Amino acid sequence: MDTWRELSALVEERLKSASPGERRVFAAGVAERLMSRHEALPEDDRAPFTLSLRPLLNSVWAGVLGDSTAYSAVNRGVAEYMLSEYCHNDGQDGPDDADESAAAATLFAAHTYLFGCHDFAVWASGRAVEAVEEDELLIDTDEALASELRCQLRDLDLIAEFSEELRYSLMGLPVDTSVRLRAELRNPLSGR
């Protein structure tokens, strides 16, 4: 049986060889799963900063699925974060809301969308792994970590089926293609 560390290395390797378009969709999918889980928490457990990033994640989704007009909304969302009190170098003395897994994964997904580099996609993947590690109710953490990473590998397999279309998604895709990709990619990746 694969250990979660081997699976993590495999995810990173796959992200290095993936196209920027595939990385963009992958990071959005990871962030969506984490955001959906966060939104499902009891109201008192939800972080306001994390919830405030939902519009940014929706813009990332629009962009990765071919809406070229989303670029400025994502760029603006990242800039707002960079200029906010949540982007700091104060360590434990600063606000930590941006370090919550769903928030961090959303910000990494936004950066992946803007730049397409594999590092941001790998960091989004890592936030999902950290979220599993932080779950105090788990009986078998190693199996849960492996399960998350297997899910990410399945995501990469699904996304690879659309690699030709995703290659040009940053420049914009026809509306009917974007609508089809939303059904064939966003919905399945969000629900895993």
Side-chain angles (χ1 to χ4, degrees):
M1 178 178 213
D2 296 324
T3 68
W4 70 268
R5 285 182 181 84
E6 292 168 341
L7 292 168
S8 181
L10 185 55
V11 168
E12 185 170 353
E13 185 178 310
R14 293 272 308 270
L15 286 168
K16 281 182 183 176
S17 64
S19 72
E22 291 172 274
R23 290 181 199 129
R24 289 177 175 107
V25 173
F26 172 82
V30 169
E32 182 65 44
R33 278 198 310 277
L34 291 171
M35 182 66 79
S36 295
R37 284 185 214 144
H38 190 82
E39 291 168 335
L41 291 172
E43 190 172 344
D44 291 345
D45 294 337
R46 294 183 219 151
F49 177 74
T50 300
L51 297 176
S52 77
L53 293 175
R54 170 47 82 181
L56 175 60
L57 183 53
N58 289 341
S59 294
V60 169
W61 270 116
V64 302
L65 297 177
D67 180 354
S68 62
T69 64
Y71 188 88
S72 62
V74 175
N75 200 26
R76 189 176 322 102
V78 169
E80 287 171 2
Y81 161 71
M82 298 294 282
L83 294 171
S84 77
E85 64 189 342
Y86 298 106
C87 183
H88 61 83
N89 64 354
D90 297 330
Q92 299 297 323
D93 295 330
D96 63 356
D97 286 9
D99 193 39
E100 188 278 324
S101 292
T106 297
L107 293 166
F108 288 140
H111 281 84
T112 305
Y113 170 69
L114 293 174
F115 305 111
C117 64
H118 87 283
D119 287 337
F120 291 118
V122 168
W123 294 334
S125 165
R127 291 315 299 236
V129 170
E130 285 181 37
V132 170
E133 289 177 319
E134 293 167 359
D135 188 345
E136 297 170 359
L137 302 175
L138 291 176
I139 295 170
D140 187 351
T141 303
D142 286 346
E143 181 50 39
L145 292 168
S147 178
E148 169 60 34
L149 291 160
R150 283 188 207 102
C151 178
Q152 291 182 20
L153 288 168
R154 286 191 302 273
D155 290 352
L156 286 166
D157 289 340
L158 174 63
I159 293 165
E161 294 175 25
F162 299 90
S163 63
E164 270 309 304
E165 292 165 304
L166 295 174
R167 182 175 314 244
Y168 306 106
S169 62
L170 191 63
M171 300 302 142
L173 296 172
V175 173
D176 59 330
T177 302
S178 290
V179 169
R180 183 177 50 75
L181 288 175
R182 181 180 178 92
E184 294 178 343
L185 284 172
R186 181 175 179 170
N187 296 342
L189 293 174
S190 299
R192 289 186 186 210

